[in-house]
Short mmCIF file of all heavy atoms in Angstrom, two decimals:
data_model
loop_
_atom_site.label_atom_id
_atom_site.label_comp_id
_atom_site.label_asym_id
_atom_site.label_seq_id
_atom_site.Cartn_x
_atom_site.Cartn_y
_atom_site.Cartn_z
N ARG A 1 0.84 -1.20 0.00
CA ARG A 1 0.00 0.00 0.00
C ARG A 1 0.88 1.25 0.00
O ARG A 1 1.87 1.33 0.74
CB ARG A 1 -0.91 0.05 1.23
CG ARG A 1 -1.88 1.23 1.18
CD ARG A 1 -2.59 1.45 2.48
NE ARG A 1 -3.64 2.45 2.34
CZ ARG A 1 -4.21 3.09 3.37
NH1 ARG A 1 -3.84 2.84 4.60
NH2 ARG A 1 -5.16 4.00 3.15
N LYS A 2 0.51 2.22 -0.85
CA LYS A 2 1.18 3.52 -0.88
C LYS A 2 0.13 4.60 -0.73
O LYS A 2 -0.85 4.64 -1.48
CB LYS A 2 1.94 3.70 -2.20
CG LYS A 2 2.72 5.01 -2.27
CD LYS A 2 3.57 5.09 -3.52
CE LYS A 2 4.35 6.41 -3.58
NZ LYS A 2 5.30 6.55 -2.45
N LEU A 3 0.33 5.46 0.26
CA LEU A 3 -0.61 6.54 0.55
C LEU A 3 0.12 7.87 0.53
O LEU A 3 1.12 8.06 1.22
CB LEU A 3 -1.25 6.33 1.93
CG LEU A 3 -2.04 7.51 2.50
CD1 LEU A 3 -3.29 7.78 1.67
CD2 LEU A 3 -2.41 7.28 3.97
N GLU A 4 -0.37 8.78 -0.30
CA GLU A 4 0.05 10.18 -0.29
C GLU A 4 -1.18 10.98 0.14
O GLU A 4 -2.08 11.23 -0.65
CB GLU A 4 0.54 10.62 -1.67
CG GLU A 4 1.81 9.93 -2.14
CD GLU A 4 3.03 10.33 -1.32
OE1 GLU A 4 2.97 11.37 -0.63
OE2 GLU A 4 4.04 9.60 -1.38
N SER A 5 -1.23 11.36 1.40
CA SER A 5 -2.45 11.89 2.00
C SER A 5 -2.71 13.35 1.63
O SER A 5 -1.81 14.07 1.20
CB SER A 5 -2.37 11.75 3.53
OG SER A 5 -3.48 12.34 4.15
N PHE A 6 -3.97 13.76 1.83
CA PHE A 6 -4.33 15.17 1.66
C PHE A 6 -3.80 16.00 2.82
O PHE A 6 -3.80 17.22 2.76
CB PHE A 6 -5.86 15.33 1.55
CG PHE A 6 -6.62 14.66 2.65
CD1 PHE A 6 -6.78 15.26 3.88
CD2 PHE A 6 -7.17 13.41 2.45
CE1 PHE A 6 -7.49 14.64 4.89
CE2 PHE A 6 -7.88 12.77 3.45
CZ PHE A 6 -8.04 13.40 4.68
N ASN A 7 -3.35 15.33 3.91
CA ASN A 7 -2.63 16.03 4.98
C ASN A 7 -1.16 16.15 4.57
O ASN A 7 -0.51 15.14 4.27
CB ASN A 7 -2.75 15.28 6.30
CG ASN A 7 -4.13 15.40 6.91
OD1 ASN A 7 -4.76 16.45 6.81
ND2 ASN A 7 -4.59 14.33 7.53
N GLN A 8 -0.64 17.33 4.56
CA GLN A 8 0.72 17.56 4.10
C GLN A 8 1.74 16.80 4.96
O GLN A 8 1.59 16.70 6.18
CB GLN A 8 1.03 19.05 4.12
CG GLN A 8 2.32 19.42 3.40
CD GLN A 8 2.56 20.92 3.40
OE1 GLN A 8 2.12 21.63 4.30
NE2 GLN A 8 3.23 21.42 2.36
N GLU A 9 2.76 16.26 4.28
CA GLU A 9 3.83 15.51 4.92
C GLU A 9 3.33 14.23 5.60
O GLU A 9 4.00 13.68 6.48
CB GLU A 9 4.60 16.37 5.93
CG GLU A 9 5.30 17.57 5.30
CD GLU A 9 6.21 18.27 6.27
OE1 GLU A 9 6.99 17.58 6.95
OE2 GLU A 9 6.12 19.52 6.36
N THR A 10 2.16 13.77 5.21
CA THR A 10 1.61 12.52 5.74
C THR A 10 1.60 11.48 4.62
O THR A 10 1.03 11.72 3.55
CB THR A 10 0.18 12.72 6.27
OG1 THR A 10 0.21 13.66 7.34
CG2 THR A 10 -0.41 11.41 6.76
N PHE A 11 2.23 10.36 4.89
CA PHE A 11 2.31 9.31 3.88
C PHE A 11 2.41 7.95 4.57
O PHE A 11 2.61 7.86 5.80
CB PHE A 11 3.53 9.51 2.97
CG PHE A 11 4.85 9.27 3.67
CD1 PHE A 11 5.46 8.01 3.64
CD2 PHE A 11 5.48 10.30 4.37
CE1 PHE A 11 6.65 7.80 4.30
CE2 PHE A 11 6.68 10.07 5.02
CZ PHE A 11 7.27 8.82 4.99
N GLN A 12 2.28 6.90 3.79
CA GLN A 12 2.49 5.54 4.29
C GLN A 12 2.94 4.64 3.15
O GLN A 12 2.34 4.65 2.07
CB GLN A 12 1.21 4.96 4.91
CG GLN A 12 1.41 3.57 5.51
CD GLN A 12 0.11 2.95 6.01
OE1 GLN A 12 -0.79 2.65 5.23
NE2 GLN A 12 0.00 2.78 7.32
N ASP A 13 4.00 3.87 3.39
CA ASP A 13 4.46 2.80 2.50
C ASP A 13 4.46 1.52 3.33
O ASP A 13 5.28 1.38 4.26
CB ASP A 13 5.86 3.08 1.96
CG ASP A 13 5.84 4.10 0.83
OD1 ASP A 13 4.93 4.01 0.00
OD2 ASP A 13 6.71 4.99 0.81
N ARG A 14 3.55 0.60 3.00
CA ARG A 14 3.42 -0.63 3.79
C ARG A 14 3.62 -1.85 2.88
O ARG A 14 3.08 -1.90 1.77
CB ARG A 14 2.04 -0.71 4.44
CG ARG A 14 1.78 -2.01 5.20
CD ARG A 14 0.38 -2.04 5.79
NE ARG A 14 0.25 -1.06 6.85
CZ ARG A 14 0.64 -1.27 8.12
NH1 ARG A 14 1.19 -2.43 8.45
NH2 ARG A 14 0.48 -0.34 9.03
N PHE A 15 4.39 -2.79 3.38
CA PHE A 15 4.67 -4.02 2.63
C PHE A 15 4.48 -5.21 3.56
O PHE A 15 4.90 -5.17 4.73
CB PHE A 15 6.10 -4.00 2.08
CG PHE A 15 6.54 -5.30 1.47
CD1 PHE A 15 6.07 -5.69 0.23
CD2 PHE A 15 7.39 -6.15 2.16
CE1 PHE A 15 6.46 -6.90 -0.32
CE2 PHE A 15 7.80 -7.35 1.62
CZ PHE A 15 7.33 -7.73 0.36
N ARG A 16 3.84 -6.27 3.06
CA ARG A 16 3.59 -7.46 3.87
C ARG A 16 3.74 -8.70 3.00
O ARG A 16 3.34 -8.71 1.83
CB ARG A 16 2.18 -7.41 4.48
CG ARG A 16 1.79 -8.67 5.24
CD ARG A 16 0.47 -8.52 5.96
NE ARG A 16 -0.66 -8.30 5.09
CZ ARG A 16 -1.45 -7.23 5.13
NH1 ARG A 16 -1.21 -6.27 5.99
NH2 ARG A 16 -2.46 -7.09 4.30
N ILE A 17 4.30 -9.77 3.58
CA ILE A 17 4.39 -11.05 2.90
C ILE A 17 4.19 -12.16 3.93
O ILE A 17 4.59 -12.01 5.09
CB ILE A 17 5.75 -11.22 2.17
CG1 ILE A 17 5.75 -12.49 1.33
CG2 ILE A 17 6.91 -11.20 3.16
CD1 ILE A 17 6.95 -12.62 0.42
N PHE A 18 3.53 -13.23 3.52
CA PHE A 18 3.31 -14.36 4.44
C PHE A 18 3.52 -15.67 3.70
O PHE A 18 3.30 -15.77 2.49
CB PHE A 18 1.90 -14.32 5.05
CG PHE A 18 0.80 -14.60 4.07
CD1 PHE A 18 0.37 -15.90 3.82
CD2 PHE A 18 0.17 -13.56 3.40
CE1 PHE A 18 -0.64 -16.15 2.91
CE2 PHE A 18 -0.84 -13.80 2.48
CZ PHE A 18 -1.24 -15.11 2.24
N ILE A 19 3.94 -16.68 4.44
CA ILE A 19 4.06 -18.05 3.95
C ILE A 19 3.55 -18.98 5.04
O ILE A 19 4.07 -18.98 6.15
CB ILE A 19 5.52 -18.42 3.58
CG1 ILE A 19 6.07 -17.47 2.51
CG2 ILE A 19 5.60 -19.86 3.09
CD1 ILE A 19 7.53 -17.71 2.20
N ASP A 20 2.51 -19.75 4.72
CA ASP A 20 1.93 -20.71 5.66
C ASP A 20 2.07 -22.11 5.08
O ASP A 20 1.70 -22.34 3.92
CB ASP A 20 0.45 -20.41 5.92
CG ASP A 20 0.22 -18.97 6.38
OD1 ASP A 20 1.14 -18.42 7.00
OD2 ASP A 20 -0.86 -18.43 6.11
N THR A 21 2.58 -23.04 5.88
CA THR A 21 2.76 -24.42 5.42
C THR A 21 2.22 -25.39 6.47
O THR A 21 2.26 -25.10 7.67
CB THR A 21 4.24 -24.74 5.14
OG1 THR A 21 4.98 -24.56 6.35
CG2 THR A 21 4.80 -23.83 4.07
N LYS A 22 1.74 -26.53 5.99
CA LYS A 22 1.28 -27.59 6.89
C LYS A 22 1.47 -28.95 6.22
O LYS A 22 1.13 -29.11 5.05
CB LYS A 22 -0.19 -27.39 7.27
CG LYS A 22 -0.69 -28.43 8.27
CD LYS A 22 -2.01 -28.02 8.90
CE LYS A 22 -3.15 -28.07 7.93
NZ LYS A 22 -4.45 -27.82 8.59
N TYR A 23 2.04 -29.90 6.96
CA TYR A 23 2.27 -31.25 6.46
C TYR A 23 1.52 -32.23 7.34
O TYR A 23 1.75 -32.30 8.56
CB TYR A 23 3.76 -31.58 6.42
CG TYR A 23 4.07 -32.91 5.77
CD1 TYR A 23 4.15 -33.02 4.39
CD2 TYR A 23 4.26 -34.05 6.54
CE1 TYR A 23 4.42 -34.24 3.78
CE2 TYR A 23 4.54 -35.27 5.94
CZ TYR A 23 4.61 -35.36 4.56
OH TYR A 23 4.87 -36.57 3.97
N GLN A 24 0.62 -33.01 6.74
CA GLN A 24 -0.23 -33.95 7.48
C GLN A 24 0.53 -35.25 7.70
O GLN A 24 0.83 -35.97 6.75
CB GLN A 24 -1.52 -34.21 6.72
CG GLN A 24 -2.61 -34.87 7.54
CD GLN A 24 -3.39 -33.87 8.37
OE1 GLN A 24 -3.56 -32.73 7.95
NE2 GLN A 24 -3.86 -34.29 9.52
N LEU A 25 0.86 -35.56 8.96
CA LEU A 25 1.54 -36.82 9.27
C LEU A 25 0.55 -37.97 9.36
O LEU A 25 0.74 -39.02 8.76
CB LEU A 25 2.31 -36.68 10.59
CG LEU A 25 3.46 -35.67 10.58
CD1 LEU A 25 4.08 -35.57 11.97
CD2 LEU A 25 4.52 -36.08 9.56
N THR A 26 -0.52 -37.79 10.14
CA THR A 26 -1.61 -38.77 10.26
C THR A 26 -2.92 -38.00 10.22
O THR A 26 -2.93 -36.79 10.03
CB THR A 26 -1.50 -39.57 11.57
OG1 THR A 26 -1.74 -38.68 12.68
CG2 THR A 26 -0.11 -40.19 11.73
N ASP A 27 -4.04 -38.71 10.41
CA ASP A 27 -5.33 -38.03 10.40
C ASP A 27 -5.52 -37.16 11.64
O ASP A 27 -6.44 -36.35 11.69
CB ASP A 27 -6.47 -39.05 10.29
CG ASP A 27 -6.42 -40.08 11.41
OD1 ASP A 27 -5.33 -40.30 11.96
OD2 ASP A 27 -7.47 -40.68 11.73
N ARG A 28 -4.65 -37.29 12.66
CA ARG A 28 -4.78 -36.50 13.88
C ARG A 28 -3.54 -35.65 14.19
O ARG A 28 -3.54 -34.91 15.16
CB ARG A 28 -5.05 -37.41 15.08
CG ARG A 28 -6.37 -38.15 15.02
CD ARG A 28 -6.53 -39.08 16.21
NE ARG A 28 -7.81 -39.78 16.16
CZ ARG A 28 -8.92 -39.33 16.73
NH1 ARG A 28 -8.90 -38.19 17.38
NH2 ARG A 28 -10.05 -40.02 16.65
N LEU A 29 -2.49 -35.77 13.39
CA LEU A 29 -1.24 -35.11 13.69
C LEU A 29 -0.67 -34.45 12.45
O LEU A 29 -0.63 -35.05 11.38
CB LEU A 29 -0.22 -36.12 14.25
CG LEU A 29 1.15 -35.56 14.66
CD1 LEU A 29 1.01 -34.60 15.83
CD2 LEU A 29 2.09 -36.71 15.02
N PHE A 30 -0.21 -33.19 12.58
CA PHE A 30 0.40 -32.49 11.47
C PHE A 30 1.51 -31.57 11.98
O PHE A 30 1.55 -31.22 13.16
CB PHE A 30 -0.63 -31.68 10.67
CG PHE A 30 -1.23 -30.52 11.42
CD1 PHE A 30 -0.61 -29.28 11.42
CD2 PHE A 30 -2.41 -30.67 12.13
CE1 PHE A 30 -1.14 -28.21 12.11
CE2 PHE A 30 -2.95 -29.60 12.82
CZ PHE A 30 -2.32 -28.37 12.81
N LEU A 31 2.41 -31.22 11.09
CA LEU A 31 3.45 -30.23 11.37
C LEU A 31 3.16 -28.99 10.53
O LEU A 31 2.79 -29.10 9.36
CB LEU A 31 4.84 -30.78 11.01
CG LEU A 31 5.32 -32.00 11.79
CD1 LEU A 31 6.67 -32.47 11.25
CD2 LEU A 31 5.45 -31.68 13.27
N GLY A 32 3.34 -27.81 11.12
CA GLY A 32 3.04 -26.59 10.38
C GLY A 32 3.94 -25.45 10.81
O GLY A 32 4.49 -25.44 11.92
N LEU A 33 4.10 -24.47 9.91
CA LEU A 33 4.86 -23.27 10.20
C LEU A 33 4.22 -22.10 9.46
O LEU A 33 4.12 -22.11 8.23
CB LEU A 33 6.32 -23.42 9.78
CG LEU A 33 7.21 -22.19 10.00
CD1 LEU A 33 7.33 -21.90 11.50
CD2 LEU A 33 8.58 -22.39 9.38
N ASN A 34 3.76 -21.10 10.22
CA ASN A 34 3.18 -19.90 9.65
C ASN A 34 4.11 -18.72 9.91
O ASN A 34 4.55 -18.51 11.05
CB ASN A 34 1.81 -19.61 10.27
CG ASN A 34 0.79 -20.68 9.94
OD1 ASN A 34 0.94 -21.40 8.97
ND2 ASN A 34 -0.23 -20.81 10.78
N THR A 35 4.43 -17.98 8.87
CA THR A 35 5.29 -16.81 9.01
C THR A 35 4.61 -15.58 8.42
O THR A 35 3.89 -15.68 7.43
CB THR A 35 6.64 -17.02 8.29
OG1 THR A 35 6.41 -17.26 6.90
CG2 THR A 35 7.38 -18.22 8.89
N LEU A 36 4.84 -14.43 9.05
CA LEU A 36 4.24 -13.17 8.60
C LEU A 36 5.26 -12.05 8.81
O LEU A 36 5.75 -11.85 9.92
CB LEU A 36 2.96 -12.89 9.39
CG LEU A 36 2.20 -11.61 9.07
CD1 LEU A 36 1.70 -11.62 7.64
CD2 LEU A 36 1.02 -11.43 10.04
N TYR A 37 5.57 -11.33 7.73
CA TYR A 37 6.54 -10.24 7.78
C TYR A 37 5.86 -8.94 7.37
O TYR A 37 5.22 -8.87 6.33
CB TYR A 37 7.72 -10.53 6.84
CG TYR A 37 8.71 -9.40 6.71
CD1 TYR A 37 9.73 -9.24 7.65
CD2 TYR A 37 8.63 -8.49 5.67
CE1 TYR A 37 10.65 -8.20 7.53
CE2 TYR A 37 9.53 -7.45 5.54
CZ TYR A 37 10.55 -7.30 6.47
OH TYR A 37 11.45 -6.28 6.36
N ASN A 38 6.00 -7.91 8.21
CA ASN A 38 5.42 -6.60 7.95
C ASN A 38 6.49 -5.53 8.06
O ASN A 38 7.31 -5.55 8.98
CB ASN A 38 4.31 -6.28 8.96
CG ASN A 38 2.97 -6.89 8.58
OD1 ASN A 38 2.23 -6.33 7.79
ND2 ASN A 38 2.67 -8.04 9.15
N ARG A 39 6.46 -4.59 7.13
CA ARG A 39 7.34 -3.43 7.18
C ARG A 39 6.54 -2.20 6.76
O ARG A 39 5.87 -2.22 5.72
CB ARG A 39 8.57 -3.61 6.29
CG ARG A 39 9.54 -2.43 6.34
CD ARG A 39 10.75 -2.68 5.45
NE ARG A 39 11.63 -1.52 5.40
CZ ARG A 39 12.57 -1.26 6.29
NH1 ARG A 39 12.76 -2.08 7.30
NH2 ARG A 39 13.34 -0.18 6.17
N SER A 40 6.62 -1.16 7.56
CA SER A 40 5.83 0.04 7.29
C SER A 40 6.65 1.28 7.60
O SER A 40 7.28 1.38 8.66
CB SER A 40 4.55 0.04 8.14
OG SER A 40 3.85 1.27 8.00
N GLU A 41 6.62 2.23 6.67
CA GLU A 41 7.23 3.54 6.87
C GLU A 41 6.14 4.59 6.70
O GLU A 41 5.45 4.62 5.66
CB GLU A 41 8.36 3.77 5.86
CG GLU A 41 9.12 5.06 6.08
CD GLU A 41 10.29 5.21 5.13
OE1 GLU A 41 10.51 4.29 4.31
OE2 GLU A 41 10.96 6.26 5.20
N SER A 42 5.95 5.42 7.70
CA SER A 42 4.83 6.36 7.66
C SER A 42 5.18 7.67 8.36
O SER A 42 6.18 7.77 9.08
CB SER A 42 3.59 5.74 8.34
OG SER A 42 3.86 5.46 9.70
N SER A 43 4.33 8.65 8.13
CA SER A 43 4.49 9.96 8.75
C SER A 43 3.11 10.54 9.03
O SER A 43 2.16 10.31 8.26
CB SER A 43 5.29 10.89 7.82
OG SER A 43 5.34 12.19 8.36
N ASP A 44 3.00 11.30 10.12
CA ASP A 44 1.71 11.89 10.50
C ASP A 44 1.96 13.10 11.39
O ASP A 44 3.08 13.32 11.86
CB ASP A 44 0.87 10.85 11.24
CG ASP A 44 -0.62 11.18 11.20
OD1 ASP A 44 -0.97 12.25 10.66
OD2 ASP A 44 -1.42 10.38 11.70
N PHE A 45 0.90 13.89 11.61
CA PHE A 45 0.99 15.00 12.56
C PHE A 45 -0.31 15.12 13.32
O PHE A 45 -1.33 14.51 12.95
CB PHE A 45 1.35 16.32 11.85
CG PHE A 45 0.31 16.82 10.89
CD1 PHE A 45 -0.78 17.56 11.34
CD2 PHE A 45 0.41 16.57 9.53
CE1 PHE A 45 -1.74 18.03 10.46
CE2 PHE A 45 -0.54 17.04 8.64
CZ PHE A 45 -1.63 17.76 9.11
#
């Protein structure tokens, strides 16, 4: 997301990425790993 606001000197640059994995071992057991990365640069008054 990129925001150039109607408020002067107010902006936002936001970036996000995720990777979710799951491996089914049995009908009752699984291994999984969920990852989420966020980076945001912003300004406000």
Side-chain angles (χ1 to χ4, degrees):
R1 185 191 188 197
K2 183 175 180 62
L3 168 67
E4 294 292 342
S5 175
F6 51 82
N7 287 324
Q8 191 178 29
E9 297 189 47
T10 298
F11 70 93
Q12 183 185 66
D13 282 319
R14 176 182 292 277
F15 172 75
R16 175 173 62 240
I17 187 172
F18 69 88
I19 301 175
D20 306 331
T21 60
K22 183 166 70 174
Y23 186 82
Q24 194 83 32
L25 296 176
T26 67
D27 57 336
R28 296 178 180 268
L29 182 65
F30 67 87
L31 297 176
L33 178 65
N34 296 337
T35 60
L36 180 62
Y37 174 84
N38 277 277
R39 181 179 175 85
S40 173
E41 185 176 359
S42 61
S43 175
D44 202 356
F45 65 84

